[in-house]
Amino acid sequence: MSAATGAPEDPARRPDQPVLKDGIRLRRLTRWQAEDMRADIADLAAESVAGTTGERYHNRGDFLHRLSITARRPGFALLVAETTVLVGCAFGCPMGSEGSGSRGSDGTLQAIIQRLTSRARFVALTQVVAHPHVQHRDIARRLQQRLLTELHSSLGITLLHPADRAGQAAFSSWGWQNVGEVVGLPGSIAPCVLTLSLEGQLSARR
């Protein structure tokens, strides 16, 4: 599983950025629609980290590779947030008893998450991206909550490079918990595992 990307620190809004109010529409794309919009989504992903310390860990090519790999997985879902322009996206797939298989790296990841959370089923959010705007935290929260709801899971997980402090800070601001670096997954770097409990977010809002 590839590491997910984050979003930037909070830059000041530029004059050319859209003013986001209540007219934000979330919609789920089919695989074919995602393929048609892949260039626009990749542009947004690159823009979301441009000029931040997280830029070195995420590039357009990596994003397109993650999207292509994840789109072939069972249960793949991609949501976009739009006003008059694209302002956010999130995608991932379910894993566990009714999601992806339990062999290879997927099985290793599932075993790690079950050990850490006591949950056998979860959603691997490969990417959460929001337009670099003062309201990007709210957009990201809405996207990730909607994705978990549509995939019928209350637990999301994502993997980040351990040195990607900007990405970790962004996910933390969206309600994710960093449970530390894990070993045993493919690759030379032990990624940080971050978890998001939808139940915890809903309880915090009451």
Side-chain angles (χ1 to χ4, degrees):
M1 176 180 174
S2 300
T5 65
E9 298 92 347
D10 280 324
R13 186 174 69 86
R14 301 190 304 268
D16 61 333
Q17 290 179 322
V19 177
L20 307 182
K21 295 184 180 179
D22 294 331
I24 300 171
R25 179 179 66 151
L26 303 186
R27 67 185 178 106
R28 182 171 176 174
L29 303 186
T30 65
R31 281 186 173 87
W32 307 116
Q33 290 172 325
E35 178 64 26
D36 289 341
M37 289 188 65
R38 68 195 301 268
D40 292 335
I41 296 171
D43 288 343
L44 175 67
E47 183 181 358
S48 74
V49 293
T52 75
T53 56
E55 187 173 13
R56 73 187 67 176
Y57 302 107
H58 313 290
N59 62 56
R60 201 172 188 277
D62 288 341
F63 173 85
L64 289 171
H65 178 71
R66 280 190 294 274
L67 177 57
S68 176
I69 294 297
T70 310
R72 295 197 290 267
R73 288 177 171 270
F76 166 75
L78 186 149
L79 298 175
V80 294
E82 303 167 308
T83 54
T84 56
V85 294
L86 183 68
V87 294
C89 80
F91 62 84
C93 59
M95 299 187 70
S97 57
E98 297 176 4
S100 298
S102 57
R103 296 182 179 179
S105 60
D106 283 356
T108 302
L109 179 62
Q110 184 180 344
I112 289 171
I113 298 305
Q114 187 166 6
R115 184 174 70 250
L116 293 172
T117 67
S118 300
R119 306 273 192 93
R121 189 176 188 279
F122 55 91
V123 170
L125 275 84
T126 312
Q127 187 94 24
V128 181
V129 179
H131 194 283
H133 183 277
V134 293
Q135 293 187 20
H136 77 269
R137 283 197 180 100
D138 182 59
I139 295 171
R141 286 193 185 100
R142 289 173 61 183
L143 281 167
Q144 63 194 27
Q145 289 173 359
R146 175 78 170 270
L147 189 63
L148 289 177
T149 298
E150 293 220 352
L151 294 179
H152 310 292
S153 177
S154 61
L155 178 68
I157 71 100
T158 196
L159 304 178
L160 286 176
H161 193 290
D164 184 6
R165 302 303 180 190
Q168 293 174 39
F171 275 84
S172 177
S173 74
W174 301 335
W176 293 73
Q177 179 182 4
N178 189 333
V179 296
E181 299 175 23
V182 297
V183 296
L185 294 174
S188 58
I189 304 240
C192 288
V193 173
L194 288 84
T195 64
L196 175 74
S197 171
L198 187 58
E199 295 171 349
Q201 287 200 350
L202 294 175
S203 297
R205 289 191 170 202
R206 292 173 184 168

